[in-house]
């Protein structure tokens, strides 16, 4: 079976100058974990995923001794936790102001619509990706194929 027979043609796409906060909301609203990023000509220039967005948030965790904490640890804990929460809020505000072109994955594995779905499965496995943008010979997005699409095609036979 060919990619063009199994791919999703209606694809949620983003532009490089879309704000991260808007993209994150759209991913959540549409219950997807990632989507292609295109330029004004409709050519694929990257892919944005929840993982790309999550990497913006630095991990902050209070350091307390869990075995016999000192009295000072217990007194300082609320202050440290407030400080950590302020840092997380600051990270989120910084992230919200960025554009996805700044954090998207630019090196994207793609596939041609005339390829076989077994080729897509092999590429996904080799590159450890969940979706492959389907592009024509001009680099324009014509669809996307996911692991679910491949499984669905196998069931339909």
């Amino acid at each position: 079976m060919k990619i063009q027979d199994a791919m999703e043609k209606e694809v949620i796409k983003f532009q490089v100058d879309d704000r991260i906060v808007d993209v994150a909301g759209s991913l959540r609203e549409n219950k997807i974990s990632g989507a292609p990023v295109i330029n004004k000509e409709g050519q694929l220039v990257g892919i944005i995923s929840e993982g790309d967005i999550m990497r913006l948030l630095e991990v902050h965790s209070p350091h307390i001794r869990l075995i016999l904490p000192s009295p000072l640890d217990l007194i300082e804990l609320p202050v440290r936790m407030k400080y950590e929460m302020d840092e997380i809020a600051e990270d989120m505000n910084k992230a919200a102001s960025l554009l996805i072109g700044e954090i998207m994955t630019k090196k994207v594995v793609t596939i041609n619509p005339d390829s076989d779905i077994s080729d897509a499965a092999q590429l996904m496995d080799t590159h450890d990706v969940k979706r492959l943008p389907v592009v024509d010979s001009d680099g324009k997005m014509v669809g996307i194929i996911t692991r679910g699409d491949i499984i669905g095609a196998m069931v339909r036979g």
Side-chain angles (χ1 to χ4, degrees):
M1 180 179 278
K2 299 288 183 194
I3 298 293
Q4 62 195 357
D5 300 323
M7 71 182 189
E8 179 63 45
K9 294 175 179 87
E10 297 296 319
V11 180
I12 294 170
K13 301 176 267 240
F14 298 107
Q15 299 278 330
V16 291
D17 56 358
D18 286 341
R19 292 180 334 133
I20 289 173
V21 67
D22 299 326
V23 171
S26 183
L27 291 175
R28 183 172 168 88
E29 180 180 308
N30 290 289
K31 295 182 171 107
I32 56 175
S33 61
V37 181
I38 58 171
N39 62 18
K40 295 192 186 324
E41 292 77 37
Q43 294 174 313
L44 180 72
V45 293
I47 200 154
I48 187 77
S49 70
E50 290 172 331
D52 295 325
I53 296 169
M54 291 296 296
R55 278 188 283 284
L56 287 176
L57 302 176
E58 294 179 20
V59 176
H60 300 282
S61 61
H63 302 288
I64 62 169
R65 290 183 289 276
L66 296 177
I67 302 172
L68 298 175
S70 75
L72 287 177
D73 284 337
L74 297 175
I75 293 168
E76 290 178 3
L77 184 59
V79 174
R80 279 195 241 155
M81 289 181 74
K82 167 75 169 98
Y83 176 75
E84 298 290 338
M85 293 302 289
D86 289 346
E87 283 185 332
I88 291 169
E90 185 180 326
D91 286 349
M92 292 178 81
N93 285 334
K94 278 193 270 185
S97 66
L98 291 174
L99 304 178
I100 62 169
E102 298 174 61
I103 67 159
M104 69 183 183
T105 300
K106 293 178 177 129
K107 188 176 180 182
V108 181
V109 180
T110 63
I111 196 158
N112 182 286
D114 294 323
S115 297
D116 195 78
I117 62 166
S118 63
D119 297 330
Q122 180 64 45
L123 280 171
M124 286 179 190
D125 184 52
T126 300
H127 296 280
D128 193 27
V129 294
K130 299 175 184 174
R131 67 194 67 78
L132 292 174
V134 183
V135 296
D136 64 15
S137 58
D138 296 325
K140 291 200 177 184
M141 283 272 316
V142 295
I144 197 161
I145 188 149
T146 65
R147 295 184 297 185
D149 295 328
I150 293 172
I151 292 168
M154 290 169 52
V155 171
R156 288 191 304 269

